[in-house]
Amino acid sequence: MKIIDQDRSAFFEILTKIYQANGIAPKIAEVGVLKGKNAINMYNSLNPKQMFLIDSWSAEKVVESSAAVKHRSWSAKYLSDYEWYYGGPLDEQKTYDDIYKEAQSRFSGKDNVEFVRADSLEGFEFLKQNHHTDFDFIYIDANHHYEFILDDLMFYKELLKEDVGCFQLNDCCHSKQGVLQNLGVLEAANKFCKINDFIPVIAVNRDFTDVILAPRNSSIASAINQTVEGNNLSYVEVPNELFPNLSVKVGARASISFI
């Protein structure tokens, strides 16, 4: 696994070089969209043939998820703790309707983008039933609790192109802030890799770490490694077996550690 001292958008640039070199206009999706800020960066960089944006934008779903962990003294208990991020009360549907409209506004006039207002598994069923089973790239950033992330990875794997499809995960690390939010992304990703013979190909040296997962010995994993090595990007490489120990230590800045 390579680790680069870049923001997550560097992955979009790496993948863009790969797609352009192979004459590919990628088919992409984001699961967990919120305001669409990351989605529009993906769109502008990857120049996709087709893009699907999947999110429930639902107060009911967020309240249910929060209620399931409110008994845990080590995690944040109150939805009000995150109002600053969402822009309004998390138990009011208007907050999510406003966010949905904001996301839609970023893609005005882009006819190759489709919004799917559904939770992750409903979104998966929609794509599968409509024969969208040939994705080059899927960004997973929905409910970060362990079981939900594992479900997303296990189901959406069916929609990736064999050998050339890959996932990008957000918040895939252990950290103090992650514990407060009951994040289970790293643990779910590790389990998924074991079950499906995927590997962590590359990570960014940042808090709330982004990681790309791809099938072991796949063309896309090889292409990512070759692109990083051939484009003057500084990196360090660690054994994939250290992936479960990936944590973030915060000093003057946040950095990845395996200790």
Side-chain angles (χ1 to χ4, degrees), residues 157-186:
K157 174 183 174 290
E158 295 183 31
L159 307 183
L160 285 177
K161 285 182 181 175
E162 188 174 352
D163 191 51
V164 297
C166 64
F167 286 119
Q168 183 169 334
L169 297 181
N170 182 239
D171 298 345
C172 190
C173 64
H174 172 78
S175 67
K176 289 183 178 179
Q177 286 298 315
V179 170
L180 289 176
Q181 296 179 49
N182 194 46
L183 302 188
V185 181
L186 176 63

Side-chain angles (χ1 to χ4, degrees), residues 10-68:
F11 290 168
F12 307 154
E13 297 170 9
I14 290 167
L15 291 170
T16 296
K17 290 181 183 294
I18 294 169
Y19 296 143
Q20 289 177 346
N22 290 277
I24 297 171
K27 186 173 181 177
I28 68 177
E30 184 174 47
V31 185
V33 179
L34 203 60
K35 299 177 182 179
K37 292 181 178 180
N38 183 62
I40 194 63
N41 288 337
M42 289 168 50
Y43 183 93
N44 290 336
S45 181
L46 297 171
N47 192 25
K49 171 180 65 179
Q50 195 171 17
M51 183 180 199
F52 290 87
L53 300 177
I54 301 160
D55 197 308
S56 63
W57 289 282
S58 166
E60 180 182 0
K61 296 291 185 181
V62 171
V63 170
E64 284 178 359
S65 178
S66 177

Side-chain angles (χ1 to χ4, degrees), residues 41 51 60 69 71-72 75 86 100 112 122-123 125 140 148 159 168 172 176 199 221 235 240 242 252:
N41 288 337
M51 183 180 199
E60 180 182 0
V69 296
H71 63 286
R72 294 178 174 161
S75 63
Y86 283 74
Y100 179 54
N112 59 341
E122 292 167 347
E125 291 296 339
I140 302 287
F148 289 89
L159 307 183
Q168 183 169 334
C172 190
K176 289 183 178 179
I199 59 170
Y235 67 90
N240 294 337
L242 289 181

